[in-house]
Amino acid sequence: MSNLSPEEFQELAAGYVLGDLSSEERQVFQAQLQHHPELAEEVRLLQDVLGAIPYGLPETPPPPGLREAILAAAEGGAIGGFPGNVGQVGLRQFWRSPCWSIICG
């Protein structure tokens, strides 16, 4: 596999740190790290930044009823418009719900 351009490396590095690469992309990226160990420092810096992000966000109290909705969803019930049976698609819909955007600000 040929060397990656700096832009390709940055894109793969971000996906690698976020755990968002396909298995093929992960293999390509890991091969680059083996051939260029100095790039591991850049990955470490990205991991540090990712780890610090939550500390830079303001604390926002959860909306009323969120705890009950989560517990009901985990038990297979439905409360307040949240999905009752949270499967993979239901979970994605839950995180895209207005309550989650309120929590994240």
Side-chain angles (χ1 to χ4, degrees):
M1 180 61 62
S2 64
N3 287 339
L4 300 172
S5 71
E7 294 81 18
E8 290 171 320
F9 177 80
Q10 285 296 323
E11 186 175 321
L12 286 176
Y16 183 79
V17 169
L18 293 171
D20 194 33
L21 296 181
S22 69
S23 60
E24 182 182 328
E25 290 171 322
R26 188 174 49 254
Q27 289 173 352
V28 167
F29 187 75
Q30 288 173 337
Q32 288 296 308
L33 286 177
Q34 287 179 348
H35 294 314
H36 305 282
E38 68 278 6
L39 298 176
E41 176 64 16
E42 193 163 342
V43 171
R44 189 192 64 73
L45 291 173
L46 287 173
Q47 289 169 330
D48 289 348
V49 168
L50 180 63
I53 287 174
Y55 299 108
L57 298 173
E59 275 192 47
T60 305
L66 181 61
R67 182 178 190 277
E68 290 79 12
I70 292 171
L71 293 175
E75 293 173 0
I79 291 182
F82 288 96
N85 184 6
V86 179
Q88 187 65 26
V89 173
L91 190 57
R92 281 191 213 117
Q93 291 170 349
F94 174 77
W95 291 122
R96 291 182 183 145
S97 73
C99 287
W100 186 245
S101 62
I102 291 169
I103 292 170
C104 292

